[in-house]
Amino acid sequence: MLTTSNQLLSRLLHTTPEAAEHLERVTLSRGLWPMEGQNLGEGHVYFPEAGLMGLRWPSPALPGVGMVLLGCHAGWWPEIGHLGPVQTHVLQAGHAQRIRWSVLQAQPQRYAHWLLQAAAASQQLVHQMARKVHCVQNHTLVQRLASGLLAVRQHNPHGAEPILMTDLAHWLSCPVAELQAAAQVLQTHRAVQWAEDADAGAPLHSSQPQKLASLACACHEHLAQGQRSSGSASA
């Protein structure tokens, strides 16, 4: 049976191992996704195994709220029209497995158990967005950046690739200059490594989770608790 680092896909393969025959591996390239000319494939469900994606629902009702993180706990349906326009951004390059949605639809009884798990897991996206709203309204940018970097480690624990400052600013919905000032504070406490004289596209390295945790709010802990109970998915 195919082994995978994606928790939601692992549950699918555990309940219905034959689903592995329908899986296809695709590349996640950093930046807006899909890239120009890239074929997503019609009606596929995506399971990131390495790399990190963010989903953003542009909404004037939620100003300053960044993207929901999708990594090794997640599954994603790009054709998610009932939720309105979705912007997808790959924060860390990697790869994902995908399966045609029609395969799952064609045998609802065979996949019923997993579909119920996926439906329960989908609530974690809502919880994550609600937590982001709370975080923006109640915590400083230094706390949010430290907590966000810890969340990145939770969603992509095997990814050593740093995140660019411009991508972090996009995710946290703040000006790059303000994010650079927050990164300087974290660097003063030796929680991150960042070249202060570099341009806005410089990478930010976070290899000190204990130090990050001492400066962060607790929002990443709430998200981790939800992942342990049901994972993250969009349905």
Side-chain angles (χ1 to χ4, degrees):
M1 185 178 74
L2 175 71
T3 59
T4 175
S5 60
N6 183 286
Q7 290 187 5
L8 196 59
L9 177 56
S10 180
R11 294 179 184 183
L12 174 61
L13 295 175
H14 178 73
T15 55
T16 50
E18 62 274 19
E21 301 174 5
H22 303 282
L23 290 172
E24 177 186 9
R25 192 172 187 264
V26 296
T27 299
L28 302 177
S29 302
R30 197 187 64 78
L32 290 177
W33 195 76
M35 308 296 287
E36 184 176 355
Q38 184 176 2
N39 180 23
L40 284 182
E42 186 174 345
H44 282 79
V45 184
Y46 287 78
F47 303 95
E49 292 187 310
L52 193 66
M53 306 173 72
L55 300 186
R56 184 188 185 95
W57 287 267
S59 170
L62 297 173
V65 177
M67 293 188 286
V68 173
L69 287 177
L70 296 176
C72 65
H73 307 284
W76 177 51
W77 284 250
E79 298 78 11
I80 198 168
H82 63 284
L83 291 177
V86 178
Q87 182 185 58
T88 308
H89 195 98
V90 177
L91 303 177
Q92 289 181 330
H95 61 271
Q97 297 282 350
R98 72 180 186 183
I99 187 171
R100 293 191 310 277
W101 176 241
S102 60
V103 171
L104 305 177
Q105 282 185 313
Q107 301 184 65
Q109 291 184 334
R110 180 181 297 272
Y111 295 104
H113 181 69
W114 178 82
L115 289 170
L116 287 173
Q117 291 181 322
S122 69
Q123 297 304 310
Q124 287 306 312
L125 276 185
V126 178
H127 174 66
Q128 191 178 154
M129 180 62 78
R131 176 55 56 176
K132 289 294 291 293
V133 173
H134 172 84
C135 195
V136 167
Q137 294 175 342
N138 294 279
H139 302 137
T140 68
L141 184 55
V142 171
Q143 291 175 305
R144 291 167 54 205
L145 176 56
S147 188
L149 291 172
L150 289 169
V152 165
R153 295 174 66 90
Q154 293 164 2
H155 283 271
N156 190 22
H158 305 295
E161 180 183 347
I163 296 185
L164 301 185
M165 293 290 286
T166 49
D167 290 337
L168 278 170
H170 184 64
W171 173 44
L172 295 173
S173 299
C174 67
V176 173
E178 293 182 13
L179 188 68
Q180 289 174 321
Q184 283 182 314
V185 174
L186 296 183
Q187 184 163 252
T188 300
H189 291 82
R190 299 181 180 179
V192 300
Q193 294 178 337
W194 171 60
E196 297 180 32
D197 58 346
D199 60 27
L204 187 69
H205 299 262
S206 57
S207 58
Q208 299 292 335
Q210 295 84 1
K211 292 180 179 179
L212 281 173
S214 68
L215 299 166
C217 55
C219 293
H220 64 281
E221 296 177 0
H222 290 279
L223 296 180
Q225 291 170 1
Q227 290 160 9
R228 285 192 292 268
S229 63
S230 61
S232 297
S234 60

